[in-house]
Amino acid sequence: MERETQFIGQSAAFQDAVERASLAASLDRPVLVIGERGTGKELIAERLHRLSTRWDRPYVIMNCAAMPETLIESELFGHEAGAFTGATRTRAGRFEEADGGTLFLDELATMSMGAQERLLRAVEYGEVTRVGSSRPIRVDVRIVAATNEHLPALVDDNRFRADLLDRLSFEVITLPPLRAREGDIEVLATYFGQRMAAVLGWEEWPGFGPRALAAMEGHDWPGNVRELRNVIERAIYRWADPEKPVDALSFDPFASPWQPVTRKAAARSDNAAPAPANDASPPAAAAPSGAVSDLRAAVDAYERQILSDTMARCRFNQKVAAEALGLSYDQIRHALKKHGLNQ
């Protein structure tokens, strides 16, 4: 599907972040965009450029995490022919490409200390020097940077330069995670669902069933909007009857009874092997029967098995499992934590 640059959401936390980006766009100052993966940092960065006075000038994107440390300085500042092995011709860097416009540095926290030092000079003096050259080049570039790290903590750990952070943090826009955007999950799910239904040629959008809606609200969405989009689009194309509301979601596309067992998982399985027959604790595979020498241990083992079986049956959705067992959401979370099943 085509890339979307519009913002979908009605929660106050989300609208506040978008409004701050709109306000900062007109100022020719650096901006840091902070947020978990999938929260829309790239869209905010593009908004900052499109609403600025540089909107008709270059908008250059560089993912710092995708560049080896040995090449990141060359990518940022360019290099002269013969500067290093393989440099057969002179090449302009991203700063020169973005001259007059905006340079978006994604995954800023992954940048090496050496590259940070050179970036500091570029931000401070508006000059870059190609690798293998001693002649500085003047550039006029606005920096927008993004990360999912807490940069002040990296400064305390000597993993990020304090002076660079000072120069880049004129404005810091922190995007809320999806789980904190009250009311936005269903709005976004409907939007993505309608688009996918149109792609598949459905005549009408049937909406979502109560189980699917409950599952959405009960999920933590660690991947945020990007994860939500994948879950919804996967659910739509797998749904067999376009005339009935979509009422089944698959949060983990890797879930399968035939998935490969990793060494780490095998080790955990070995550690959780049943106790010997002469152990006082009863087996957890079934309800204890016959003589029980330790009632508390037997009850705990049976409760743990019920929770484990129910979570698996409900595809590890805590809210759906809570409803199946007649518990509140807080009660099942407490029970899962008690038995070590909340991993």
Side-chain angles (χ1 to χ4, degrees):
M1 294 184 181
E2 74 280 2
R3 183 181 178 188
E4 288 291 328
T5 57
Q6 64 187 104
F7 292 93
I8 309 295
Q10 59 189 13
S11 66
F14 176 69
Q15 292 292 343
D16 285 347
V18 175
E19 181 61 28
R20 287 185 67 182
S22 302
L23 187 63
S26 60
L27 298 176
D28 201 14
R29 296 289 188 276
V31 176
L32 282 175
V33 185
I34 312 295
E36 297 179 7
R37 60 187 175 94
T39 50
K41 297 186 292 295
E42 301 90 345
L43 295 182
I44 289 290
E46 187 168 346
R47 185 179 186 86
L48 287 164
H49 174 71
R50 299 301 176 196
L51 296 182
S52 74
T53 56
R54 299 170 179 258
W55 64 271
D56 59 342
R57 304 296 295 166
Y59 175 61
V60 178
I61 302 173
M62 177 173 169
N63 187 335
C64 301
M67 292 292 154
E69 185 175 342
T70 54
L71 294 179
I72 193 168
E73 292 188 36
S74 172
E75 285 293 325
L76 274 175
F77 311 115
H79 61 257
E80 298 290 343
F84 52 84
T85 302
T88 57
R89 59 187 179 85
T90 299
R91 181 183 182 281
R94 302 296 176 91
F95 266 93
E96 291 179 69
E97 292 174 2
D99 190 25
T102 303
L103 175 60
F104 174 44
L105 298 176
D106 200 7
E107 302 290 350
L108 177 71
T110 63
M111 186 176 289
S112 69
M113 295 297 281
Q116 289 178 35
E117 184 176 359
R118 296 197 62 184
L119 176 61
L120 173 64
R121 180 174 181 82
V123 174
E124 180 74 8
Y125 301 106
E127 293 181 348
V128 297
T129 303
R130 293 175 180 170
V131 176
S133 172
S134 59
R135 181 176 62 87
I137 301 172
R138 296 287 301 177
V139 290
D140 175 22
V141 175
R142 183 193 191 182
I143 300 292
V144 176
T147 180
N148 58 7
E149 298 273 6
H150 185 54
L151 293 179
L154 297 188
V155 170
D156 292 340
D157 292 340
N158 295 318
R159 294 165 52 198
F160 200 85
R161 293 183 62 102
D163 44 6
L164 177 59
L165 181 60
D166 290 340
R167 285 162 177 79
L168 293 180
S169 58
F170 169 80
E171 178 61 289
V172 179
I173 300 172
T174 303
L175 298 180
L178 183 57
R179 58 186 174 276
R181 292 171 53 176
E182 186 176 357
D184 281 356
I185 292 176
E186 186 173 352
V187 172
L188 284 161
T190 299
Y191 173 74
F192 293 137
Q194 289 175 333
R195 291 183 65 225
M196 191 63 179
V199 169
L200 296 175
W202 290 12
E203 294 183 0
E204 294 183 359
W205 167 238
F208 295 101
R211 290 182 58 192
L213 290 173
M216 289 180 208
E217 295 297 335
H219 190 57
D220 285 337
W221 299 110
N224 293 289
V225 179
R226 187 180 297 120
E227 180 189 3
L228 174 64
R229 174 175 174 170
N230 287 338
V231 168
I232 297 305
E233 292 181 351
R234 186 163 57 241
I236 302 304
Y237 102 85
R238 288 181 178 179
W239 192 244
D241 191 348
E243 296 183 359
K244 292 183 179 180
V246 179
D247 209 20
L249 302 178
S250 174
F251 293 100
D252 184 4
F254 296 96
S256 169
W258 303 284
Q259 66 184 17
V261 178
T262 64
R263 294 181 179 180
K264 187 174 181 180
R268 286 200 303 265
S269 178
D270 290 342
N271 292 335
N278 59 355
D279 193 290
S281 300
S289 60
V292 173
S293 59
D294 189 333
L295 178 60
R296 185 179 298 276
V299 171
D300 285 348
Y302 190 39
E303 181 180 323
R304 188 182 195 280
Q305 187 62 44
I306 292 174
L307 286 167
S308 179
D309 291 345
T310 305
M311 287 294 292
R313 189 171 67 253
C314 296
R315 298 189 177 183
F316 302 95
N317 185 282
Q318 295 180 4
K319 190 166 185 178
V320 175
E323 292 175 354
L325 293 172
L327 301 174
S328 69
Y329 184 62
D330 289 337
Q331 286 173 330
I332 197 168
R333 285 178 65 89
H334 176 76
L336 292 172
K337 182 178 181 180
K338 170 185 173 183
H339 294 288
L341 297 173
N342 59 342
Q343 300 301 320

